[in-house]
Amino acid sequence: MKKGTLRQILLITDGCSNQGEDPVAMAALAREHGMTVNVIGVLDENERTEGLKEIENIALSGGGIHQLVYAKQLSHTVQMVTRKAMTQTIQGFIHKELQSILGHDKEIEDLPPDKRGQVVEVVDELGETMDLEVLIMIDTSASMQHKLPTVEDALLDLSISLHSRIGENEYALYAFPGKRKQVERLMDWTPILKDIHTIFPKLTTGGITPTGPALKEAIDAYQKKRSKRGLLDDGYIEESSS
Amino acid sequence: MTGTSKNQVADVPRGTTISGKWNKQTYQIMKKLGSGALGTVYLADSVKGRVALKIGTDSMSITSEVNVLKQLSMVQGTVLGPFFYEIDDWERSGKKFPFYVMEYIDGEPLFTFINRRGKEWIGILMLQLLRDLSALHREGWVFGDLKPDNLLVEGSPPTVRWLDVGGTTPMGRSVKEFTEFFDRGYWGLGNRVAEPSYDLFSVAMIVLNAGYPKRFDRPKKDAEHYLMNKIESSQLLKEYKPILRKALLGKYGYASEMRQELFALLQGEKTNVRKNKVNSSHSRVAARQTRPKAKKKRTGWVETVLLVAFLLFFYTLYLVGHIF
């Protein structure tokens, strides 16, 4: 099996989008492009979860995972969601392979338990060794202001977990809304997430929540990266395009 | 929680008979023992006697745990995790629930035991834990999610047993399951690569947890200094400081190293306190008392040499005084 690259969009937000394209539609588009959209909703203690439905729907149509957390638990959640989503994508991929061998109506559960063990080992192996690209989208609308330091911690924590893997990692960081545009690039693709402590203090918060346009930008960023690399590397797993 | 909705298993009532689809074994549910993110564990009766039975929802994660249990069952000579019996599916009203069966460990939570029997047990139980970890590491595995909740003290003589080995990771891979307080990554004191020092950090934090039952959060910066302060300001932890410090800073490459130093530290302390209490029948006590003796002998020898040198010096002065 050829080792490929997993591509994720990680959306960290605390509420409803209120400008531009429908984020659920944009997530569906991302999925068509072979990316997974994961969404983490950050709440204050005692906060009502008005954006809940949207958060859930974005993840659902983006083929990813969503999770609502209080700011305090964010670190643990961000790395967990990222890893779970990786496993889920790989499982989906393996599942298809199995179906092509065993027949279309077969599931992993149709294998005797002893055989399943080997499937799990393959999934674990891939989760550990596959390359991963994560495009992180941070909601910087006004209500997120006091949560940003926690987001910074959580991203550092994420990089500790991912760098403990054998596979390579690349990150890009975007904020929405940006200073002048709806979406602003904070950090271009980089293998190390260490410099974020220089970026976060400069972030300004305020105004609208253009989640849809942000996702659209994320797709574009991936497209650009791909066309740049296309000549050198064609190792992506195209598992959602069938 | 996840995008794909999984069918949750409702609690299985007492008396229910679970029968396996593949192996055709049957189990009678006796009571619920506990539940976690991946499933619920029950005490059950079977032809094997009393067993623990874990019913999950996701066959991949259940299978993953079984992979680890099987590996641990193969480790010779030492009993590491619970003994693994079998994995199967249970079909109930058209749905399939994966489950596995393992040894039932009838033990007491680590801290409940320590609170009941006395703080001196911390060191002894940690020695046991380090010995088992050493065996696990030799086999190429790292425990990962090491914490008091995953440890039980069983039987007489009291023995530490591992309850949940789901976080066990092959050496060199990344630890995926962890609990913040016991995770060196959370404290900014290392990565999450599965290696012996990852577990040894957690062992040190278990001891810290004994001193601070409510645990505490990480500081904004300089976690190292913060943790050392926590150790210093606890009567219970102070005596373990040299060892805790080394474990927290990743200075031990092997569990056996940490075990040896803890052993030596306990010896020093126990010979003082326990001399008049010769009730312990463990062979360890014998070993414990031989080494300090040797140490004493050596200091005695040094004293003699010093005394002789001193006398010689004065004698020379005396002689010199005589000549002039």
Side-chain angles (χ1 to χ4, degrees):
Chain A
M1 189 179 300
K2 191 168 184 178
K3 203 180 87 176
T5 304
L6 292 170
R7 294 186 292 164
Q8 294 189 356
I9 295 170
L10 176 65
L11 187 67
I12 300 175
T13 180
D14 72 345
C16 256
S17 66
N18 53 21
Q19 200 174 61
E21 292 90 343
D22 178 4
V24 181
M26 289 303 113
L29 185 60
R31 192 179 187 182
E32 288 302 316
H33 281 288
M35 305 154 196
T36 312
V37 186
N38 301 308
V39 194
I40 295 174
V42 200
L43 308 171
D44 280 322
E45 305 284 335
N46 308 322
E47 192 174 315
R48 294 270 305 278
T49 56
E50 283 160 13
L52 172 70
K53 204 70 207 158
E54 189 183 85
I55 285 169
E56 196 182 326
N57 285 334
I58 294 173
L60 214 56
S61 76
I65 288 172
H66 74 276
Q67 176 101 55
L68 293 170
V69 281
Y70 295 118
K72 199 172 178 288
Q73 296 135 6
L74 189 65
S75 286
H76 199 253
T77 306
V78 167
Q79 65 83 27
M80 192 188 72
V81 162
T82 304
R83 302 225 47 161
K84 264 198 180 165
M86 289 174 72
T87 310
Q88 188 173 296
T89 310
I90 295 167
Q91 278 177 9
F93 175 68
I94 301 259
H95 186 69
K96 268 191 191 149
E97 294 279 306
L98 277 179
Q99 285 190 330
S100 70
I101 299 166
L102 301 172
H104 246 287
D105 51 343
K106 295 291 183 190
E107 307 251 340
I108 289 168
E109 281 76 11
D110 291 319
L111 289 172
D114 288 337
K115 291 274 184 297
R116 284 177 216 162
Q118 296 166 24
V119 177
V120 168
E121 269 172 33
V122 174
V123 172
D124 284 352
E125 170 78 25
L126 286 174
E128 185 68 29
T129 54
M130 278 181 82
D131 294 342
L132 172 71
E133 294 172 2
V134 194
L135 191 147
I136 304 157
M137 274 282 170
I138 301 162
D139 175 352
T140 47
S141 61
S143 55
M144 280 291 287
Q145 168 109 55
H146 62 284
K147 296 171 191 164
L148 287 179
T150 332
V151 173
E152 185 186 341
D153 282 350
L155 294 182
L156 282 173
D157 197 87
L158 173 69
S159 73
I160 292 176
S161 262
L162 295 182
H163 282 290
S164 301
R165 295 187 325 125
I166 294 164
E168 302 290 326
N169 307 286
E170 272 200 274
Y171 313 88
L173 195 59
Y174 285 73
F176 66 100
K179 267 178 195 152
R180 280 171 293 274
K181 299 177 283 184
Q182 282 185 320
V183 188
E184 187 185 355
R185 185 174 76 194
L186 303 174
M187 192 191 271
D188 201 3
W189 290 103
T190 162
I192 308 152
L193 206 57
K194 262 187 181 153
D195 309 320
I196 55 170
H197 62 271
T198 57
I199 293 169
F200 266 75
K202 289 180 211 150
L203 278 182
T204 47
T205 51
I208 51 163
T209 313
T211 315
L215 285 173
K216 198 174 167 212
E217 182 82 22
I219 298 168
D220 286 349
Y222 263 123
Q223 295 293 88
K224 265 181 218 151
K225 179 179 170 58
R226 225 180 140 191
S227 62
K228 255 190 231 165
R229 285 232 314 228
L231 296 168
L232 302 165
D233 177 350
D234 57 348
Y236 289 110
I237 284 189
E238 297 293 344
E239 46 91 28
S240 66
S241 51
S242 62
Chain B
M1 198 164 94
T2 52
T4 48
S5 68
K6 301 255 162 69
N7 19 324
Q8 287 292 311
V9 220
D11 274 3
V12 181
R14 221 187 114 167
T16 309
T17 303
I18 307 262
S19 54
K21 179 189 160 190
W22 304 84
N23 299 340
K24 309 288 178 209
Q25 294 286 330
T26 56
Y27 301 93
Q28 282 238 310
I29 297 292
M30 293 165 74
K31 69 170 183 184
K32 182 174 160 179
L33 293 173
S35 61
L38 297 174
T40 310
V41 182
Y42 297 93
L43 177 63
D45 202 13
S46 73
V47 287
K48 301 175 196 76
R50 295 207 292 178
V51 294
L53 189 147
K54 183 165 184 175
I55 305 178
T57 48
D58 176 27
S59 85
M60 293 299 265
S61 48
I62 287 289
T63 307
S64 185
E65 287 191 18
V66 166
N67 274 357
V68 172
L69 279 172
K70 276 185 180 168
Q71 287 289 338
L72 294 189
S73 299
M74 279 188 254
V75 176
Q76 305 236 314
T78 332
V79 197
L80 295 172
F83 188 81
F84 169 76
Y85 292 120
E86 65 163 356
I87 176 173
D88 213 323
D89 290 327
W90 175 45
E91 283 178 304
R92 182 169 72 160
S93 46
K95 279 177 194 157
K96 261 179 255 170
F97 297 102
F99 73 88
Y100 66 84
V101 185
M102 60 187 156
E103 172 197 5
Y104 169 58
I105 299 173
D106 190 9
E108 197 176 356
L110 181 71
F111 287 162
T112 316
F113 177 87
I114 288 168
N115 288 338
R116 191 166 60 81
R117 296 284 294 267
K119 300 285 185 201
E120 71 269 23
W121 280 93
I122 295 174
I124 294 154
L125 295 175
M126 288 306 115
L127 282 178
Q128 289 185 9
L129 178 60
L130 287 167
R131 186 190 51 218
D132 289 350
L133 284 175
S134 189
L136 181 74
H137 297 161
R138 258 203 313 277
E139 295 297 318
W141 293 84
V142 163
F143 195 102
D145 197 6
L146 198 54
K147 55 180 172 179
D149 324 42
N150 284 341
L151 300 172
L152 284 183
V153 184
E154 180 196 46
S156 171
T159 312
V160 175
R161 294 293 310 270
W162 299 348
L163 190 59
D164 185 352
V165 294
T168 305
T169 311
M171 202 81 80
R173 297 214 170 172
S174 53
V175 174
K176 276 179 265 185
E177 261 178 61
F178 55 86
T179 305
E180 284 182 343
F181 188 79
F182 306 93
D183 163 48
R184 66 181 183 191
Y186 169 79
W187 293 99
L189 292 170
N191 56 21
R192 294 192 180 116
V193 175
E195 53 191 17
S197 56
Y198 186 88
D199 279 344
L200 300 180
F201 181 93
S202 307
V203 173
M205 289 310 283
I206 291 174
V207 179
L208 259 89
N209 194 183
Y212 296 91
K214 286 185 179 155
R215 303 182 191 172
F216 42 83
D217 290 335
R218 64 178 162 196
K220 284 260 178 287
K221 54 183 173 185
D222 204 359
E224 180 186 333
H225 191 235
Y226 182 79
L227 289 174
M228 294 311 145
N229 269 340
K230 285 282 183 192
I231 296 169
E232 279 290 345
S233 46
S234 156
Q235 206 54 45
L236 175 73
L237 302 177
K238 239 192 333 208
E239 56 173 318
Y240 297 108
K241 189 179 176 193
I243 286 159
L244 295 178
R245 192 187 135 78
K246 279 178 86 172
L248 292 177
L249 299 181
K251 305 273 191 213
Y252 292 117
Y254 300 96
S256 52
E257 259 179 87
M258 182 171 170
R259 184 171 192 275
Q260 238 162 18
E261 289 189 20
L262 177 60
F263 202 8
L265 185 124
L266 290 174
Q267 274 173 4
E269 158 206 332
K270 291 282 143 58
T271 35
N272 295 339
V273 186
R274 282 253 170 133
K275 267 252 160 100
N276 43 359
K277 255 194 193 176
V278 207
N279 55 358
S280 185
S281 59
H282 292 274
S283 58
R284 274 198 201 119
V285 175
R288 211 182 263 158
Q289 281 165 351
T290 47
R291 256 171 80 181
K293 253 186 209 163
K295 233 182 189 173
K296 240 179 219 166
K297 252 187 192 163
R298 206 162 118 231
T299 49
W301 182 76
V302 170
E303 274 164 17
T304 321
V305 170
L306 274 176
L307 194 72
V308 170
F310 206 62
L311 284 174
L312 270 175
F313 175 68
F314 273 104
Y315 185 62
T316 328
L317 274 184
Y318 169 78
L319 284 179
V320 169
H322 254 264
I323 290 165
F324 297 101

